[in-house]
Amino acid sequence: MSETPPHPRPTPGLLLRGVEIFPGWLEPPAQAEMVEDLRAVVAAAPFFQPETRFGRKMSVRMTSAGRYGWVSDRRGYRYERRHPSGVAWPPIPASVLAVWEAITGLDRRPDCCLVNYYAEGAKMGMHQDRDEADFGWPVLSISLGDAARFRIGNIERGGATESVWLNSGDVLVMGGEARLVHHGIDRVRPGSSTLLKGGGRLNLTLRVVD
Ligand code: MD3
Ligand code: FE
Protein backbone atom coordinates (compact mmCIF):
# COMPACT_ATOMS: atom_id res chain seq x y z
CA MET A 1 0.00 0.00 0.00
CA SER A 2 1.07 3.60 -0.53
CA GLU A 3 1.87 5.76 2.49
CA THR A 4 0.52 9.21 3.25
CA PRO A 5 2.31 11.90 1.22
CA PRO A 6 5.54 12.91 2.95
CA HIS A 7 5.55 16.37 1.37
CA PRO A 8 2.97 19.17 1.24
CA ARG A 9 0.68 19.20 -1.79
CA PRO A 10 -0.92 22.09 -3.71
CA THR A 11 -4.68 22.63 -3.40
CA PRO A 12 -6.64 21.67 -6.53
CA GLY A 13 -8.55 24.40 -8.34
CA LEU A 14 -11.50 22.04 -8.93
CA LEU A 15 -12.75 18.70 -7.70
CA LEU A 16 -14.92 16.50 -9.94
CA ARG A 17 -16.11 13.27 -8.34
CA GLY A 18 -12.87 13.02 -6.41
CA VAL A 19 -10.66 13.84 -9.43
CA GLU A 20 -8.43 16.78 -8.54
CA ILE A 21 -8.06 19.30 -11.37
CA PHE A 22 -5.22 21.84 -11.52
CA PRO A 23 -6.25 24.11 -14.42
CA GLY A 24 -3.32 25.72 -16.26
CA TRP A 25 -0.71 24.18 -13.94
CA LEU A 26 1.82 24.39 -16.77
CA GLU A 27 2.39 27.78 -18.38
CA PRO A 28 2.82 27.83 -22.19
CA PRO A 29 6.67 27.95 -22.08
CA ALA A 30 6.75 24.87 -19.80
CA GLN A 31 4.27 23.14 -22.13
CA ALA A 32 6.54 23.85 -25.12
CA GLU A 33 9.60 22.47 -23.27
CA MET A 34 7.70 19.33 -22.36
CA VAL A 35 6.66 18.82 -25.99
CA GLU A 36 10.34 19.07 -27.00
CA ASP A 37 11.25 16.44 -24.38
CA LEU A 38 8.46 14.22 -25.72
CA ARG A 39 9.88 14.43 -29.26
CA ALA A 40 12.91 12.50 -27.98
CA VAL A 41 10.60 9.89 -26.40
CA VAL A 42 8.68 9.45 -29.65
CA ALA A 43 11.91 9.29 -31.69
CA ALA A 44 13.08 6.32 -29.56
CA ALA A 45 9.65 4.70 -29.15
CA PRO A 46 7.38 5.69 -32.07
CA PHE A 47 3.62 5.99 -31.68
CA PHE A 48 1.66 2.87 -32.56
CA GLN A 49 -2.06 2.26 -32.90
CA PRO A 50 -2.98 -0.43 -30.36
CA GLU A 51 -5.45 -3.15 -31.28
CA THR A 52 -8.04 -4.48 -28.88
CA ARG A 53 -8.26 -8.22 -28.17
CA PHE A 54 -11.08 -8.23 -30.74
CA GLY A 55 -8.73 -6.97 -33.45
CA ARG A 56 -10.16 -3.45 -33.62
CA LYS A 57 -7.68 -0.60 -33.85
CA MET A 58 -8.01 2.10 -31.21
CA SER A 59 -8.30 5.64 -32.63
CA VAL A 60 -5.73 6.97 -30.12
CA ARG A 61 -2.03 6.48 -30.92
CA MET A 62 0.18 5.52 -28.00
CA THR A 63 3.69 5.10 -26.75
CA SER A 64 5.33 5.09 -23.31
CA ALA A 65 8.38 6.10 -21.31
CA GLY A 66 9.70 4.51 -18.14
CA ARG A 67 10.37 1.00 -16.77
CA TYR A 68 7.04 -0.17 -18.20
CA GLY A 69 4.83 0.77 -21.10
CA TRP A 70 1.21 -0.04 -21.75
CA VAL A 71 0.40 -2.17 -24.81
CA SER A 72 -2.69 -3.78 -26.27
CA ASP A 73 -2.98 -6.38 -29.02
CA ARG A 74 -4.95 -9.57 -29.73
CA ARG A 75 -3.43 -11.11 -26.61
CA GLY A 76 -5.09 -8.39 -24.54
CA TYR A 77 -3.76 -5.35 -22.72
CA ARG A 78 -0.92 -5.27 -20.21
CA TYR A 79 2.26 -3.52 -19.17
CA GLU A 80 5.44 -4.58 -20.97
CA ARG A 81 9.13 -3.82 -20.50
CA ARG A 82 9.59 -3.12 -24.23
CA HIS A 83 8.02 -1.22 -27.10
CA PRO A 84 6.44 -3.51 -29.75
CA SER A 85 9.60 -2.94 -31.87
CA GLY A 86 11.66 -4.67 -29.15
CA VAL A 87 13.50 -1.58 -27.84
CA ALA A 88 13.37 -0.63 -24.15
CA TRP A 89 11.09 2.33 -23.40
CA PRO A 90 13.05 5.61 -23.11
CA PRO A 91 13.32 7.29 -19.69
CA ILE A 92 10.53 9.54 -18.43
CA PRO A 93 11.67 13.15 -19.05
CA ALA A 94 12.74 15.13 -15.97
CA SER A 95 10.22 17.86 -16.86
CA VAL A 96 7.43 15.28 -16.53
CA LEU A 97 8.74 13.75 -13.30
CA ALA A 98 8.92 17.25 -11.78
CA VAL A 99 5.15 17.66 -12.19
CA TRP A 100 4.52 14.29 -10.47
CA GLU A 101 6.78 15.28 -7.57
CA ALA A 102 5.32 18.75 -7.15
CA ILE A 103 1.67 17.68 -7.26
CA THR A 104 1.58 14.27 -5.60
CA GLY A 105 4.18 15.04 -2.92
CA LEU A 106 5.28 11.40 -3.13
CA ASP A 107 8.85 10.11 -2.85
CA ARG A 108 7.94 7.14 -5.08
CA ARG A 109 8.43 7.84 -8.77
CA PRO A 110 6.06 6.58 -11.45
CA ASP A 111 7.08 3.48 -13.43
CA CYS A 112 5.24 4.42 -16.61
CA CYS A 113 4.40 7.56 -18.55
CA LEU A 114 1.78 6.53 -21.09
CA VAL A 115 1.67 9.03 -23.97
CA ASN A 116 -1.65 9.20 -25.83
CA TYR A 117 -1.99 11.16 -29.08
CA TYR A 118 -5.43 12.23 -30.28
CA ALA A 119 -5.57 13.35 -33.90
CA GLU A 120 -8.81 14.92 -35.10
CA GLY A 121 -11.67 12.46 -34.52
CA ALA A 122 -9.84 10.25 -31.99
CA LYS A 123 -11.63 9.38 -28.76
CA MET A 124 -11.39 6.97 -25.85
CA GLY A 125 -14.39 5.02 -24.61
CA MET A 126 -15.36 4.77 -20.95
CA HIS A 127 -13.06 2.41 -19.04
CA GLN A 128 -11.29 1.83 -15.73
CA ASP A 129 -7.51 1.77 -15.28
CA ARG A 130 -6.90 -1.42 -13.34
CA ASP A 131 -3.81 -3.08 -14.82
CA GLU A 132 -1.63 -1.70 -12.01
CA ALA A 133 -0.74 -3.77 -8.92
CA ASP A 134 -1.67 -1.28 -6.19
CA PHE A 135 -4.62 1.14 -6.55
CA GLY A 136 -3.34 3.00 -3.47
CA TRP A 137 -1.03 4.97 -5.78
CA PRO A 138 -2.60 7.84 -7.73
CA VAL A 139 -2.57 8.35 -11.51
CA LEU A 140 -1.60 11.83 -12.73
CA SER A 141 -2.57 13.19 -16.16
CA ILE A 142 -1.10 16.12 -18.12
CA SER A 143 -3.00 17.56 -21.13
CA LEU A 144 -1.11 19.27 -23.99
CA GLY A 145 -2.47 20.75 -27.22
CA ASP A 146 -6.08 20.79 -28.35
CA ALA A 147 -8.84 20.81 -25.73
CA ALA A 148 -10.77 17.61 -25.05
CA ARG A 149 -14.01 16.73 -23.33
CA PHE A 150 -13.21 14.41 -20.42
CA ARG A 151 -16.10 12.31 -19.08
CA ILE A 152 -16.24 10.77 -15.66
CA GLY A 153 -18.73 8.20 -14.42
CA ASN A 154 -18.81 5.84 -11.47
CA ILE A 155 -16.90 2.94 -9.97
CA GLU A 156 -19.70 0.64 -11.14
CA ARG A 157 -20.44 0.54 -14.86
CA GLY A 158 -23.18 2.86 -16.11
CA GLY A 159 -25.05 5.52 -14.19
CA ALA A 160 -24.92 9.29 -14.49
CA THR A 161 -21.77 10.95 -15.83
CA GLU A 162 -20.31 14.46 -15.79
CA SER A 163 -17.89 16.05 -18.22
CA VAL A 164 -15.35 18.84 -18.24
CA TRP A 165 -13.20 20.36 -20.98
CA LEU A 166 -9.48 19.82 -20.41
CA ASN A 167 -7.15 22.45 -21.83
CA SER A 168 -3.45 22.49 -22.61
CA GLY A 169 -1.45 22.68 -19.38
CA ASP A 170 -4.17 21.22 -17.16
CA VAL A 171 -3.12 18.50 -14.70
CA LEU A 172 -5.44 15.92 -13.09
CA VAL A 173 -4.86 13.59 -10.17
CA MET A 174 -6.94 10.46 -9.69
CA GLY A 175 -6.39 9.01 -6.24
CA GLY A 176 -8.38 7.62 -3.36
CA GLU A 177 -12.05 7.06 -4.22
CA ALA A 178 -11.49 8.44 -7.75
CA ARG A 179 -8.79 5.93 -8.68
CA LEU A 180 -11.21 3.31 -10.03
CA VAL A 181 -13.91 5.46 -11.58
CA HIS A 182 -14.89 4.94 -15.22
CA HIS A 183 -13.66 7.73 -17.50
CA GLY A 184 -13.09 8.53 -21.15
CA ILE A 185 -12.49 11.21 -23.78
CA ASP A 186 -15.56 12.11 -25.87
CA ARG A 187 -13.89 14.29 -28.44
CA VAL A 188 -11.11 16.73 -29.20
CA ARG A 189 -11.75 20.28 -30.41
CA PRO A 190 -9.56 20.80 -33.50
CA GLY A 191 -7.72 24.11 -33.75
CA SER A 192 -8.20 25.02 -30.08
CA SER A 193 -4.44 25.19 -29.37
CA THR A 194 -1.33 26.15 -31.34
CA LEU A 195 1.06 24.14 -29.14
CA LEU A 196 1.42 21.13 -31.46
CA LYS A 197 2.53 21.96 -35.01
CA GLY A 198 0.26 19.40 -36.64
CA GLY A 199 -2.63 19.96 -34.20
CA GLY A 200 -4.21 17.32 -32.01
CA ARG A 201 -3.84 16.50 -28.34
CA LEU A 202 -1.24 14.74 -26.21
CA ASN A 203 -2.16 13.25 -22.86
CA LEU A 204 0.44 11.90 -20.46
CA THR A 205 -0.59 9.56 -17.65
CA LEU A 206 1.92 8.75 -14.94
CA ARG A 207 1.43 5.42 -13.18
CA VAL A 208 3.03 3.28 -10.50
CA VAL A 209 2.81 -0.19 -12.04
CA ASP A 210 4.31 -2.69 -9.56
C1 MD3 B 1 -9.56 8.64 -13.80
N1 MD3 B 1 -6.50 8.74 -20.75
O1 MD3 B 1 -4.78 6.69 -20.71
S1 MD3 B 1 -6.54 11.14 -18.70
C2 MD3 B 1 -5.85 6.53 -20.10
O2 MD3 B 1 -7.01 11.99 -21.77
C3 MD3 B 1 -6.85 7.63 -20.12
O3 MD3 B 1 -5.93 10.37 -22.69
C4 MD3 B 1 -7.40 9.84 -20.94
O4 MD3 B 1 -7.91 7.47 -19.61
C5 MD3 B 1 -6.72 10.81 -21.86
O5 MD3 B 1 -6.13 5.53 -19.44
C6 MD3 B 1 -7.84 10.47 -19.68
C7 MD3 B 1 -7.35 11.30 -17.19
C8 MD3 B 1 -7.45 10.02 -16.41
C9 MD3 B 1 -6.46 9.07 -16.46
C10 MD3 B 1 -6.49 7.98 -15.63
C11 MD3 B 1 -7.54 7.82 -14.73
C12 MD3 B 1 -8.48 9.87 -15.54
C13 MD3 B 1 -8.54 8.77 -14.70
C14 MD3 B 1 -7.56 6.75 -13.84
C15 MD3 B 1 -8.56 6.66 -12.93
C16 MD3 B 1 -9.58 7.59 -12.92
FE1 FE C 1 -7.81 5.71 -18.33
Side-chain angles (χ1 to χ4, degrees), residues 124 127-129 183 207:
M124 186 178 288
H127 66 278
Q128 289 172 299
D129 288 31
H183 58 277
R207 301 136 183 276

PDB file of all heavy atoms in Angstrom, residues 124 127-129 183 207, ligand 2:
ATOM      1  N   MET A 124     -11.656   8.133 -26.699  1.00  0.00           N
ATOM      2  CA  MET A 124     -11.390   6.970 -25.852  1.00  0.00           C
ATOM      3  C   MET A 124     -12.652   6.641 -25.083  1.00  0.00           C
ATOM      4  O   MET A 124     -13.173   7.487 -24.345  1.00  0.00           O
ATOM      5  CB  MET A 124     -10.224   7.258 -24.904  1.00  0.00           C
ATOM      6  CG  MET A 124      -9.819   6.036 -24.098  1.00  0.00           C
ATOM      7  SD  MET A 124      -8.419   6.340 -23.037  1.00  0.00           S
ATOM      8  CE  MET A 124      -7.099   6.445 -24.220  1.00  0.00           C
ATOM      9  N   HIS A 127     -13.799   3.572 -19.543  1.00  0.00           N
ATOM     10  CA  HIS A 127     -13.057   2.405 -19.043  1.00  0.00           C
ATOM     11  C   HIS A 127     -12.539   2.707 -17.635  1.00  0.00           C
ATOM     12  O   HIS A 127     -12.578   3.849 -17.190  1.00  0.00           O
ATOM     13  CB  HIS A 127     -11.870   2.102 -19.968  1.00  0.00           C
ATOM     14  CG  HIS A 127     -10.835   3.182 -19.945  1.00  0.00           C
ATOM     15  ND1 HIS A 127     -10.957   4.335 -20.687  1.00  0.00           N
ATOM     16  CD2 HIS A 127      -9.694   3.328 -19.229  1.00  0.00           C
ATOM     17  CE1 HIS A 127      -9.932   5.122 -20.446  1.00  0.00           C
ATOM     18  NE2 HIS A 127      -9.130   4.538 -19.545  1.00  0.00           N
ATOM     19  N   GLN A 128     -12.031   1.664 -16.980  1.00  0.00           N
ATOM     20  CA  GLN A 128     -11.294   1.829 -15.725  1.00  0.00           C
ATOM     21  C   GLN A 128      -9.837   1.516 -15.995  1.00  0.00           C
ATOM     22  O   GLN A 128      -9.522   0.734 -16.875  1.00  0.00           O
ATOM     23  CB  GLN A 128     -11.785   0.825 -14.674  1.00  0.00           C
ATOM     24  CG  GLN A 128     -13.160   1.087 -14.124  1.00  0.00           C
ATOM     25  CD  GLN A 128     -13.591  -0.076 -13.247  1.00  0.00           C
ATOM     26  OE1 GLN A 128     -13.697  -1.216 -13.705  1.00  0.00           O
ATOM     27  NE2 GLN A 128     -13.846   0.208 -11.981  1.00  0.00           N
ATOM     28  N   ASP A 129      -8.933   2.109 -15.202  1.00  0.00           N
ATOM     29  CA  ASP A 129      -7.510   1.772 -15.283  1.00  0.00           C
ATOM     30  C   ASP A 129      -7.224   0.832 -14.123  1.00  0.00           C
ATOM     31  O   ASP A 129      -7.130   1.272 -12.979  1.00  0.00           O
ATOM     32  CB  ASP A 129      -6.652   3.036 -15.154  1.00  0.00           C
ATOM     33  CG  ASP A 129      -6.724   3.903 -16.394  1.00  0.00           C
ATOM     34  OD1 ASP A 129      -7.768   3.894 -17.057  1.00  0.00           O
ATOM     35  OD2 ASP A 129      -5.739   4.590 -16.683  1.00  0.00           O
ATOM     36  N   HIS A 183     -13.947   6.433 -16.894  1.00  0.00           N
ATOM     37  CA  HIS A 183     -13.663   7.729 -17.498  1.00  0.00           C
ATOM     38  C   HIS A 183     -13.328   7.529 -18.960  1.00  0.00           C
ATOM     39  O   HIS A 183     -12.966   6.409 -19.378  1.00  0.00           O
ATOM     40  CB  HIS A 183     -12.499   8.409 -16.763  1.00  0.00           C
ATOM     41  CG  HIS A 183     -11.247   7.574 -16.782  1.00  0.00           C
ATOM     42  ND1 HIS A 183     -11.031   6.555 -15.881  1.00  0.00           N
ATOM     43  CD2 HIS A 183     -10.179   7.570 -17.620  1.00  0.00           C
ATOM     44  CE1 HIS A 183      -9.868   5.976 -16.156  1.00  0.00           C
ATOM     45  NE2 HIS A 183      -9.336   6.571 -17.216  1.00  0.00           N
ATOM     46  N   ARG A 207       1.971   6.547 -13.954  1.00  0.00           N
ATOM     47  CA  ARG A 207       1.426   5.425 -13.183  1.00  0.00           C
ATOM     48  C   ARG A 207       2.519   4.689 -12.443  1.00  0.00           C
ATOM     49  O   ARG A 207       3.601   4.459 -12.967  1.00  0.00           O
ATOM     50  CB  ARG A 207       0.770   4.431 -14.148  1.00  0.00           C
ATOM     51  CG  ARG A 207      -0.350   5.036 -14.975  1.00  0.00           C
ATOM     52  CD  ARG A 207      -0.247   4.602 -16.428  1.00  0.00           C
ATOM     53  NE  ARG A 207      -1.288   5.248 -17.242  1.00  0.00           N
ATOM     54  CZ  ARG A 207      -2.529   4.798 -17.351  1.00  0.00           C
ATOM     55  NH1 ARG A 207      -2.881   3.679 -16.760  1.00  0.00           N
ATOM     56  NH2 ARG A 207      -3.412   5.450 -18.081  1.00  0.00           N
TER      57      ARG A 207
HETATM   58 FE    FE B   2      -7.808   5.713 -18.330  1.00  0.00          FE
END
